[in-house]
Amino acid sequence: TVTTAKIADGAVTSAKLSAGKVLQVVQTAKTNTFTTTSTSFTDITGMSVAITPSSSSNKILVMCNGVIGNTDGTSASTMVQILRDSTAIHIGDASGNRSRVSSFMFTGGGSSATRIVGQVNNIFLDSPSTTSATTYKLQMKVSGSTGTFNKDADNANETRFSTSASSITAMEVSG
């Protein structure tokens, strides 16, 4: 039996591990809200996480969750995309004029549609092929009106409405 005291620091590298082992986990949690009226993708404040892979052959499992809404109750979308540094990842295929996103919600159906929320629940195994610090983050845009993150779009201060918490997690997995 070899005890950990007998193993020199740095002796067990990720290259010596079998594939699929979790090597490190980093997470950022967000408990406040975010809104935007931008029709171009803009960073969601507090929804980014940085990780430095120990080997370029390792993968990063990215998980993010949150709640999105839109103040337009008739016909508007709130859209979210995941980025690795400045590159959008885990987005839909190109299809005409449609936006390529990771998650979205669409209102439509009268004034009560501002009480509709969409879920951001994305899990994606990324291959960044680097040992440099890598930042994963969420961006949001709207087709119109005001998009909300971590809350419904109705601003009524009533117990039936709520705010929520969200997070973005990156796990290095041996390749």
Side-chain angles (χ1 to χ4, degrees):
T1 302
V2 177
T3 64
T4 55
K6 294 181 179 178
I7 300 174
D9 288 344
V12 180
T13 63
S14 60
K16 296 178 183 175
L17 294 174
S18 59
K21 304 290 188 250
V22 175
L23 304 177
Q24 62 172 315
V25 180
V26 290
Q27 182 182 68
T28 300
K30 179 177 178 66
T31 57
N32 59 353
T33 62
F34 175 82
T35 61
T36 187
T37 57
S38 178
T39 55
S40 298
F41 279 110
T42 185
D43 292 354
I44 299 174
T45 308
M47 284 299 286
S48 67
V49 66
I51 190 167
T52 304
S54 57
S55 170
S56 60
S57 63
N58 291 344
K59 300 185 184 317
I60 305 295
L61 183 65
V62 182
M63 299 174 284
C64 51
N65 68 290
V67 173
I68 54 177
N70 193 292
T71 59
D72 183 329
T74 57
S75 180
S77 293
T78 299
M79 297 160 268
V80 173
Q81 69 177 3
I82 305 169
L83 283 86
R84 177 199 329 112
D85 295 324
S86 60
T87 302
I89 59 171
H90 191 55
I91 57 175
D93 290 343
S95 178
N97 293 324
R98 292 172 177 86
S99 295
R100 300 180 65 200
V101 301
S102 304
S103 295
F104 75 96
M105 63 85 60
F106 176 75
T107 64
S111 62
S112 64
T114 61
R115 297 178 180 147
I116 297 170
V117 294
Q119 294 289 324
V120 175
N121 287 311
N122 295 93
I123 301 173
F124 178 65
L125 189 61
D126 187 36
S127 300
S129 302
T130 187
T131 56
S132 298
T134 304
T135 299
Y136 292 91
K137 64 183 179 179
L138 293 186
Q139 291 185 330
M140 187 167 87
K141 74 174 184 175
V142 295
S143 63
S145 203
T146 301
T148 61
F149 188 83
N150 272 2
K151 71 181 285 290
D152 60 82
D154 194 315
N155 285 318
N157 187 17
E158 301 174 21
T159 57
R160 62 186 175 138
F161 300 117
S162 57
T163 60
S164 63
S166 56
S167 63
I168 181 167
T169 305
M171 300 172 59
E172 182 182 7
V173 180
S174 58

